[in-house]
Amino acid sequence: MRFTLIGPAFPWRGGLPLLTSELAFRLEAAEHHVVVRTWSVQGPARLLPAQRHPLQAPESRAFPTVREPLSWRNPLHWRRVGRRSGTSDVVILIFYTTVQAPALAAVARVARRRGSRVVVICANAVPHEIRRGDRTLMSLLMRAADAVLVHTDAERTALRRITGRPVEVAPLPPHLPTGQRAEHRPDRPATGRLLFFGKVRRYKGVDVLLRALVDVPDRRLGIVGEFYEQESELRALVARLGLVNRVDVRPGYLAAAEIPELFAQFDALVLPYRTATASQHVALAHWHGLPVVATRVGNFPHTVRDGEDGLLCAPDDPADLARAIRTLYEPGRLERLRSGIEPTDAATETTWSTYLTTIEHLAGEPTR
């Protein structure tokens, strides 16, 4: 079968470009013919600041992409990409922001007129920070597609409110950067340090974590990642809470090669999200031997085994998060959680097999 994948790919950075490339390689290994097209401009920099600094070298194996302009604001690009992608049996659109919905919907309509089946992999069926018009734009894209793949049951429920297209669920498979892992030593001494890693946005609840830290006075926190909001506001909150000597802020993108050394300095990764869809941060932490403290949102309840390789708590609740952190440091608990982290290789292959099977199932007869 001939597939065209359209979405973020190298030189763009973050998890979704890794997903695009890994999916392309695995489809090719399953004896499909695969073409990858990516964006030349993904969206306005004020909404997607990460695109200001594309990667100079890939952080994992990068599937070759078609070198052709595709801007979120140029309809001429949309129609051309739709025509050229329409020579494939299946066009897969990897969607994560409603800014791109009009472009992807146009690509889908043109490709379908030329006989392709269009499947949307919807990374954010429910926008993390809802803006006016999001529902309308989501509906526009869903109407233009034949079928949709999401990563959680909650996302399927949300989409079924706005579309009658088939919506299937498959867990998000790991798509990690290649390179060294942090040394996995369950018995290493605790450092008393916790890590928040990734984009700093309101829905990720860093402010909730800071308030929880007030109630666990013997612990330190590292915040490492790109700020989608004002760094000054977070630093001001740190000061108001009296945490200046206990919180280290390292703004900016961290190259994949530096992650093992970073993770080795901390006892656990904390994911204090208010809301979530599907994240691979649990897989990333476990890959480096770190247990996870996470809220019960998105796919975290399915990827963190509470009490075995991490701890779960209520979202937007500093008191319950503080409780989980105190539990983490009960005698022997941290070592047991580290020991409970299972090897990821077999689970990765199983999850990817399910993912590919679901995609091949959705690549059926076009919706009329």
Side-chain angles (χ1 to χ4, degrees):
M1 194 174 291
R2 296 167 299 167
F3 283 85
T4 293
L5 275 58
I6 302 174
F10 178 77
W12 304 118
R13 63 197 195 192
L16 282 178
L18 297 177
L19 175 65
T20 302
S21 285
E22 187 65 20
L23 175 57
F25 279 115
R26 287 178 180 268
L27 285 170
E28 187 177 64
E31 300 185 348
H32 299 294
H33 178 269
V34 182
V35 172
V36 174
R37 295 176 176 271
T38 193
W39 299 92
S40 52
V41 185
Q42 291 201 77
R46 63 183 177 83
L47 295 179
L48 304 173
Q51 74 167 347
R52 295 172 184 155
H53 307 288
L55 294 169
Q56 299 303 307
E59 296 185 322
S60 187
R61 56 178 185 165
F63 199 92
T65 58
V66 175
R67 296 299 179 186
E68 187 173 73
L70 176 57
S71 170
W72 68 282
R73 57 189 174 192
N74 191 327
L76 294 177
H77 294 176
W78 311 347
R79 290 191 289 272
R80 181 177 62 224
V81 168
R83 287 195 304 270
R84 294 179 180 177
S85 301
T87 59
S88 296
D89 301 306
V90 182
V91 176
I92 297 179
L93 307 176
I94 299 172
F95 168 76
Y96 74 101
T97 172
T98 52
V99 167
Q100 297 171 354
L104 293 177
V107 169
R109 286 192 295 268
V110 174
R112 288 182 72 205
R113 284 199 296 268
R114 296 178 69 86
S116 295
R117 182 169 174 83
V118 175
V119 176
V120 177
I121 294 178
C122 196
N124 289 328
V126 181
H128 296 304
E129 288 139 354
I130 296 175
R131 296 182 296 269
R132 185 177 181 181
D134 278 342
R135 184 183 176 90
T136 300
L137 292 171
M138 286 285 292
S139 297
L140 176 73
L141 177 57
M142 296 304 109
R143 288 196 304 271
D146 290 293
V148 187
L149 173 63
V150 295
H151 300 126
T152 65
D153 290 331
E155 291 176 283
R156 176 169 57 186
T157 299
L159 279 187
R160 282 180 170 170
R161 297 190 187 107
I162 63 172
T163 182
R165 300 303 197 210
V167 182
E168 296 288 341
V169 178
L172 180 68
H175 41 284
L176 302 171
T178 54
Q180 297 295 315
R181 305 188 196 191
E183 185 180 6
H184 187 183
R185 285 182 48 212
D187 61 343
R188 68 182 174 90
T191 65
R193 302 180 69 201
L194 302 166
L195 174 65
F196 173 89
F197 176 76
K199 297 182 179 72
V200 181
R201 300 176 64 174
R202 186 181 183 281
Y203 80 89
K204 294 196 173 186
V206 181
D207 59 315
V208 180
L209 176 54
L210 291 172
R211 292 184 171 89
L213 202 65
V214 173
D215 292 332
V216 238
D218 51 347
R219 306 303 169 202
R220 295 178 60 89
L221 173 67
I223 300 172
V224 180
E226 291 183 294
F227 278 75
Y228 272 50
E229 297 150 3
Q230 289 296 320
E231 179 187 342
S232 59
E233 293 179 8
L234 183 134
R235 290 188 181 274
L237 178 60
V238 169
R240 285 199 304 274
L241 295 174
L243 298 173
V244 171
N245 294 324
R246 295 171 51 207
V247 175
D248 302 310
V249 180
R250 180 177 171 181
Y253 181 78
L254 186 77
E258 300 177 60
I259 291 176
E261 182 180 356
L262 173 75
F263 278 36
Q265 301 171 37
F266 294 89
D267 295 327
L269 180 68
V270 185
L271 303 171
Y273 291 29
R274 287 183 167 89
T275 64
T277 48
S279 167
Q280 72 155 355
H281 274 59
V282 174
L284 183 65
H286 287 171
W287 178 257
H288 293 289
L290 262 66
V292 175
V293 178
T295 50
R296 292 185 182 89
V297 297
N299 67 340
F300 296 150
H302 304 289
T303 53
V304 175
R305 294 178 299 139
D306 193 19
E308 296 184 44
D309 55 22
L311 299 169
L312 294 171
C313 60
D316 212 359
D317 187 338
D320 200 40
L321 179 53
R323 173 204 57 79
I325 293 171
R326 286 192 294 269
T327 300
L328 181 71
Y329 287 100
E330 291 174 350
R333 175 80 68 168
L334 189 55
E335 183 175 344
R336 289 197 298 273
L337 294 176
R338 288 172 180 157
S339 298
I341 297 171
E342 297 179 342
T344 58
D345 296 340
T348 293
E349 292 309 310
T350 299
T351 308
W352 267 110
S353 177
T354 300
Y355 207 72
L356 292 182
T357 298
T358 305
I359 287 174
E360 290 170 338
H361 169 69
L362 291 173
E365 292 300 319
T367 302
R368 300 301 177 189

